[in-house]
Amino acid sequence: MSLREIAQALGTSVDTRPEQEVSRVCIDSRTVQQGDLFFCIVGRNLDGHGFVRQAVEGGACAVISGRPLELPVPVILVRDTTLALGRLARFWRERTKARVIGVTGSAGKTTVKEMLARVLAVAGRTGKNFRNLNNQIGLPLSILEMDGEEDFWVLELGISRPGDMDDLGYILAPDAALVVNIGPCHLEGLGSLAGVAREKSTLLDYVRPDGFACVGADYPALREACAGRGTAVVEFSGRNGRAAYACLEKKADGEGLLYVLRTPAGEIRLRVPDQVNVAENVAAVTAMSMELGLTPADIASGLAAYSPAPQRFAVSRVGGWTFIDDTYNANPVSMACSLDEAVRLAGDRRLVLVLGEMRELGADAEREHRELGRRIAATPATHCFFYGAHAGHVREGLEGFSGEFIPAAAPEDVLGVMRDLRSEKGVVLFKGSRGCKMENFYAALERSWA
């Protein structure tokens, strides 16, 4: 894009070097390359305007600024640099030939995005967000990284307060939306499960007129929120629900996992690697892929190439133990799913849980941690280490738990107990909210046992 095109997209003008071509958009002065356009983003802790000279010295050919600046490169003035970044991304989205899919949900959206991108790559060039760059800054940056000649864009959208989905939906204007699920997360901003459903379903308002949405049918509040929004809805279920696409069976067969799914085209079987382990995710990817015209063979081929993103149920072997690194984040939905899968993987072996508290649950925090205690009590875990202020509430829900519950203030509290179990075989699940940094517990045990 030229500076003239960029200025027009932002509703302003540029007087100097209007035909200058921009090679890339950047917001970090440390990573600027020759020919980049630097956005002075104002964040919670840092103001990009304070790093603009470093960006120019690094090769920035122009700057988007919220205030007048004296620089040796063109400066395009805007009222709000973050809004301008989103507006430029929308301009670029309008120029692509790709079919654009927006993915959202309370749990598993990054995994579903990665799986769907793998599947769609079987049918054509596919672009996606890097990891979870999915907010009002990350989403535009992801879009502006695309060259526009891809066949598919698969982009996840993350929200935490009312109005977020309006911002992101406008930027993306998807051809199709995939709403995986809802759960009690970000309740400090969204208030209630109904608030989560309402905000997630807002994405359907921004789907193109001839587009459609695939929606998880196992969540009544989500189904209700999506109804009547004017977008065609196709439902899927990971629980053999009454949906167009539903997982009927999931079983290990020695070569991975075999899923049997009901689809509008009839019953299909998908044999996939063991790491494709969540039925809801498989149903979601199958629904969106088949609605986009892909075949079951395409889906199986794409899922065979999938590998988990770091810290998202990444499985590794450490001696006779299987370590599950699911430390990126946690909420009640994802915690329940991870516990179920850890139990399946453990089988007859010892199961140890190293868990951190679930944050941003607002007034529901105590109740949800008691419910977590009940879920833990239903597992065969011999030890549950718990980090965080809600250990007491988890303990209150542990009635009938046959294992040991051990509040852990630091990784050393886990290492001391686990040292005696090293010679055995078993499974350890590490999981907690982002602020708990449960990866420190994972790394400490992995280092001590390596």
Side-chain angles (χ1 to χ4, degrees):
M1 286 184 285
S2 70
L3 292 183
R4 185 192 306 280
E5 291 175 303
I6 291 168
Q8 289 174 346
L10 300 181
T12 185
S13 61
V14 60
D15 299 325
T16 309
R17 304 181 213 163
E19 304 310 320
Q20 170 77 51
E21 289 289 324
V22 168
S23 58
R24 197 174 66 116
V25 168
C26 186
I27 66 169
D28 187 340
S29 61
R30 298 167 299 180
T31 62
V32 166
Q33 301 173 12
Q34 195 68 37
D36 283 358
L37 172 65
F38 182 72
F39 271 76
C40 299
I41 297 295
V42 180
R44 292 180 182 176
N45 301 313
L46 296 173
D47 183 344
H49 295 88
F51 301 89
V52 67
R53 297 192 183 280
Q54 181 181 340
V56 172
E57 290 170 2
C61 67
V63 170
I64 305 293
S65 173
R67 66 186 70 146
L69 296 171
E70 291 292 332
L71 295 171
V73 299
V75 176
I76 299 177
L77 283 175
V78 296
R79 288 181 181 272
D80 184 308
T81 53
T82 299
L83 291 179
L85 181 65
R87 192 168 176 178
L88 183 60
R90 172 61 184 264
F91 172 75
W92 189 239
R93 183 266 178 268
E94 294 294 345
R95 294 176 59 163
T96 185
K97 70 182 187 68
R99 299 180 76 178
V100 179
I101 299 97
V103 180
T104 193
S106 293
K109 58 183 173 290
T110 300
T111 297
V112 169
K113 178 257 298 181
E114 294 289 337
M115 290 169 58
L116 182 59
R118 283 287 187 181
V119 171
L120 295 181
V122 174
R125 284 189 62 210
T126 301
K128 59 184 177 68
N129 332 53
F130 176 70
R131 293 193 180 175
N132 68 327
L133 294 179
N134 59 20
N135 62 10
Q136 286 90 332
I137 295 174
L139 178 65
L141 288 175
S142 296
I143 290 172
L144 292 165
E145 281 289 320
M146 313 288 187
D147 63 26
E149 295 301 315
E150 296 88 355
D151 297 292
F152 301 99
W153 288 1
V154 184
L155 293 151
E156 69 172 274
L157 298 82
I159 62 170
S160 59
R161 59 185 186 273
D164 280 352
M165 193 60 83
D166 286 303
D167 294 342
L168 301 176
Y170 166 79
I171 293 168
L172 189 60
D175 297 299
L178 176 51
V179 189
V180 181
N181 53 37
I182 58 165
C185 61
H186 298 299
L187 296 186
E188 290 179 352
L190 298 176
S192 65
L193 188 62
V196 175
R198 185 167 54 251
E199 192 67 16
K200 296 288 186 185
S201 66
T202 298
L203 178 58
L204 275 64
D205 294 341
Y206 293 91
V207 173
R208 298 283 170 135
D210 58 346
F212 65 94
C214 292
V215 175
D218 300 324
Y219 307 88
L222 177 61
R223 296 181 71 192
E224 181 180 351
C226 289
R229 286 190 176 268
T231 296
V233 171
V234 178
E235 293 187 336
F236 62 87
S237 170
R239 306 174 191 166
N240 192 14
R242 298 176 64 182
Y245 294 85
C247 181
L248 305 178
E249 186 179 4
K250 166 190 171 182
K251 62 181 180 181
D253 67 353
E255 299 177 13
L257 292 171
L258 176 66
Y259 287 93
V260 180
L261 297 105
R262 181 178 63 243
T263 79
E267 196 171 285
I268 67 170
R269 295 171 176 264
L270 296 176
R271 181 167 278 105
V272 298
D274 202 57
Q275 61 262 33
V276 182
N277 50 38
V278 179
E280 179 175 74
N281 294 350
V282 173
V285 170
T286 298
M288 179 57 71
S289 300
M290 292 187 70
E291 290 297 313
L292 290 170
L294 278 74
T295 68
D298 294 330
I299 298 168
S301 176
L303 292 179
Y306 166 77
S307 58
Q311 297 180 269
R312 287 177 169 83
F313 215 89
V315 178
S316 61
R317 294 295 299 273
V318 180
W321 286 76
T322 298
F323 280 21
I324 304 171
D325 180 1
D326 202 19
T327 58
Y328 183 76
N329 214 342
N331 61 48
V333 176
S334 66
M335 190 71 87
C337 183
S338 295
L339 286 173
D340 288 346
E341 188 60 20
V343 169
R344 184 189 72 81
L345 288 177
D348 295 330
R349 295 178 293 167
R350 183 185 291 273
L351 174 62
V352 175
L353 307 175
V354 183
L355 307 178
E357 66 184 3
M358 304 174 292
R359 298 183 176 177
E360 296 186 66
L361 293 177
D364 288 354
E366 294 183 8
R367 177 174 59 82
E368 291 294 346
H369 282 90
R370 290 189 192 98
E371 178 60 28
L372 174 59
R374 286 188 280 272
R375 290 188 178 278
I376 293 168
T379 74
T382 61
H383 297 76
C384 177
F385 300 91
F386 192 86
Y387 171 80
H390 288 285
H393 299 122
V394 174
R395 190 189 293 276
E396 289 172 13
L398 284 175
E399 184 177 351
F401 183 49
S402 59
E404 271 192 84
F405 181 75
I406 306 168
E412 290 72 25
D413 297 331
V414 178
L415 296 179
V417 177
M418 292 296 291
R419 190 175 297 115
D420 296 334
L421 306 178
R422 183 174 180 178
S423 61
E424 298 187 24
K425 293 183 179 180
V427 170
V428 188
L429 170 65
F430 299 83
K431 188 170 181 65
S433 278
R434 182 85 299 271
C436 296
K437 297 185 177 179
M438 297 306 292
E439 62 269 23
N440 293 338
F441 287 78
Y442 178 93
L445 189 57
E446 184 182 48
R447 281 197 305 268
S448 72
W449 282 14

